[in-house]
Amino acid sequence: MYAFIEAFRAALTSLMGHRMRSFLTTLGILIGTASVIAVVSLVQGFSKSISDQFADLGGSTLTLQAYTPFSEASVGKENRLSFSDVDTLRYRVAGVDRVVPTMGVPMAAAGYRGRTANPQVLATTAEYPAVRGNYPEKGRFIVASDDVGRRRVAVVGVKLIEDLELPDDPIGEFIRVGSEWFKIVGVMEKRGEIFGFNQDSIVLIPFDVGRAMTGNNVKPRMSVSFTALKLEDVEALRERVKRAIRASHKLRPGDEDDFRVEAADSFVKQFESITATATAVLAGIVSISLLVGGIGIMNIMLVSVTERTREIGILKALGATRRDILVQFLLEAGLLALLGGIIGIVLGIGIGLGVASLIPGFPPASVPMWVIVAAAGFSALVGVVFGIMPASKAASLDPIEALRYE
């Protein structure tokens, strides 16, 4: 241990004696580590924001949505759900608790006192907040009697309030949606942007009102979220729903499903799998600069061995063993790389946070602790690996020949 401490002290003294050269040597490692940290922090921040969108959805929530195979989509065909699918889920499938259809109402611009906006208009039911985990911040949400009575009431997002210059408390105001007038009864809590889409530029209206505006003969773009009465019944419920919808769509045995039934957490798992792959690929690409930095360390350490040949001869003449010389030079290489790695980590975090803040609507960067530890460890490992050759060369010098070196 004493010999190791002395080798560490000697390595640190050597690096401090050549500050500029040490800094330039670590520059490759610094840039490589900063690149890895910045890329990973941006991807992880984006992944975390998506996961948070689904955080309030329970494990008992499933979603039914239309699916169009590529062979059909390539010729212009698009499968959609129908209103009868909603009725099938509500009345013909055992074990279904809440059914929340969400339908987009096309060509429905919003207007208020001469000002217009183009929000996303969604027709849905009273169970929407409980199933989607999104609640009103002011006023109330749509209730069952609104749907039954086909009342023209609406719940709006905060971005629409800004776009139409509505009062800060717009409850009771009337806005025009399409050709209909709606009374605002609530304001949804702010959700921000995702994939460049502002989730707060939205109008929510009763489902049967949207159905009347769209027309019963039209198949809208619609998805249906529903919950299972029992959490342990989710997989069995999924199979019952598949059989019921296949029968509703008159699909014969062997025909491919034109719909998908997915659990809420499966979207998160799929996205996390994609982002994990993207993180690994991008980190692998930018890690090439770490290898370049390692080659730079090896080059400088070889030069250092040549410059310090006489010093090595003196150390060996005074009793330093081959192992002592080897450890000292390996420590120098490792410290160079670790120093560059630490500075690169700090710089990478700053770059990640800065880039995320400069891109409109991009979620904040997130740097997991495992990335920091892995980056620091890998940087030191690169230094040791590329320092083995110079250290071995220094340790193998003949003391007599080294003392003669000029």
Side-chain angles (χ1 to χ4, degrees):
M1 179 59 70
Y2 178 77
F4 181 82
I5 293 173
E6 285 300 315
F8 180 83
R9 186 182 300 169
L12 195 60
T13 302
S14 176
L15 295 180
M16 293 299 293
H18 302 86
R19 290 184 179 86
M20 181 57 69
R21 186 171 74 179
S22 298
F23 173 74
L24 293 175
T25 304
T26 62
L27 205 55
I29 299 291
L30 188 155
I31 294 172
T33 306
S35 302
V36 171
I37 293 293
V39 168
V40 171
S41 67
L42 290 172
V43 176
Q44 289 295 315
F46 187 68
S47 176
K48 184 176 182 297
S49 72
I50 298 299
S51 298
D52 290 344
Q53 298 295 323
F54 294 92
D56 295 325
L57 297 182
S60 63
T61 302
L62 297 100
T63 300
L64 171 67
Q65 56 187 359
Y67 168 73
T68 305
F70 178 76
S71 58
E72 296 181 5
S74 61
V75 294
K77 183 179 178 181
E78 181 183 5
N79 293 324
R80 296 188 185 182
L81 300 179
S82 65
F83 295 120
S84 62
D85 294 326
V86 179
D87 296 333
T88 297
L89 283 175
R90 278 177 173 164
Y91 308 118
R92 299 181 185 176
V93 181
V96 173
D97 185 13
R98 296 187 178 105
V99 176
V100 182
T102 304
M103 174 183 66
V105 180
M107 305 299 292
Y112 175 76
R113 294 185 179 179
R115 292 178 288 275
T116 59
N118 291 288
Q120 184 184 27
V121 180
L122 297 178
T124 188
T125 59
E127 291 85 3
Y128 179 91
V131 174
R132 292 297 186 90
N134 187 21
Y135 297 88
E137 189 175 51
K138 297 178 181 178
R140 67 172 178 85
F141 198 74
I142 298 162
V143 295
S145 59
D146 295 330
D147 217 8
V148 173
R150 294 193 176 182
R151 294 175 185 155
R152 266 52 177 175
V153 295
V155 183
V156 300
V158 293
K159 183 65 169 61
L160 183 68
I161 295 175
E162 297 175 8
D163 293 341
L164 295 181
E165 298 181 17
L166 287 159
D168 292 337
D169 187 359
I171 308 300
E173 297 289 334
F174 285 83
I175 61 172
R176 179 179 47 79
V177 180
S179 59
E180 306 279 350
W181 286 92
F182 287 78
K183 181 181 179 180
I184 298 176
V185 296
V187 178
M188 298 301 290
E189 59 189 2
K190 188 172 183 178
R191 303 196 71 185
E193 291 189 1
I194 181 171
F195 295 117
F197 168 73
N198 196 311
Q199 299 177 93
D200 301 314
S201 181
I202 191 170
V203 177
L204 297 164
I205 63 176
F207 183 75
D208 283 339
V209 174
R211 186 170 177 171
M213 292 173 66
T214 304
N216 286 330
N217 295 326
V218 176
K219 280 190 174 183
R221 283 189 171 89
M222 177 172 60
S223 65
V224 188
S225 297
F226 58 98
T227 56
L229 284 170
K230 298 178 181 178
L231 181 60
E232 61 272 15
D233 195 36
V234 169
E235 288 304 318
L237 178 60
R238 188 203 299 258
E239 294 304 316
R240 288 199 296 270
V241 169
K242 284 184 177 180
R243 288 196 297 269
I245 299 300
R246 282 185 65 88
S248 175
H249 290 190
K250 296 180 174 58
L251 296 176
R252 294 173 296 182
D255 289 346
E256 186 177 4
D257 291 341
D258 58 359
F259 61 90
R260 288 287 184 267
V261 181
E262 299 285 354
D265 59 352
S266 67
F267 295 108
V268 180
K269 291 177 181 176
Q270 290 174 12
F271 187 80
E272 287 178 346
S273 175
I274 293 171
T275 53
T277 303
T279 300
V281 172
L282 292 173
I285 293 172
V286 296
S287 293
I288 294 174
S289 56
L290 282 174
L291 299 180
V292 175
I295 294 171
I297 288 177
M298 183 172 63
N299 184 42
I300 293 299
M301 291 303 296
L302 285 171
V303 172
S304 178
V305 169
T306 303
E307 289 179 347
R308 295 159 62 186
T309 300
R310 190 174 181 83
E311 176 190 331
I312 294 169
I314 294 172
L315 289 173
K316 285 198 168 188
L318 293 174
T321 64
R322 185 178 187 279
R323 179 184 174 186
D324 294 333
I325 302 298
L326 185 69
V327 169
Q328 179 178 335
F329 276 85
L330 279 178
L331 280 174
E332 283 189 34
L335 284 173
L336 277 172
L338 184 60
L339 178 64
I342 292 173
I343 298 174
I345 288 170
V346 176
L347 187 62
I349 293 173
I351 292 173
L353 294 172
V355 171
S357 64
L358 290 174
I359 301 175
F362 199 89
S366 175
V367 187
M369 183 56 66
W370 65 265
V371 177
I372 296 176
V373 174
F378 188 67
S379 298
L381 180 63
V382 167
V384 171
V385 169
F386 283 92
I388 286 176
M389 181 185 293
S392 179
K393 179 181 178 182
S396 300
L397 287 175
D398 181 83
I400 297 176
E401 294 299 326
L403 286 171
R404 288 177 178 176
Y405 186 81
E406 296 292 340

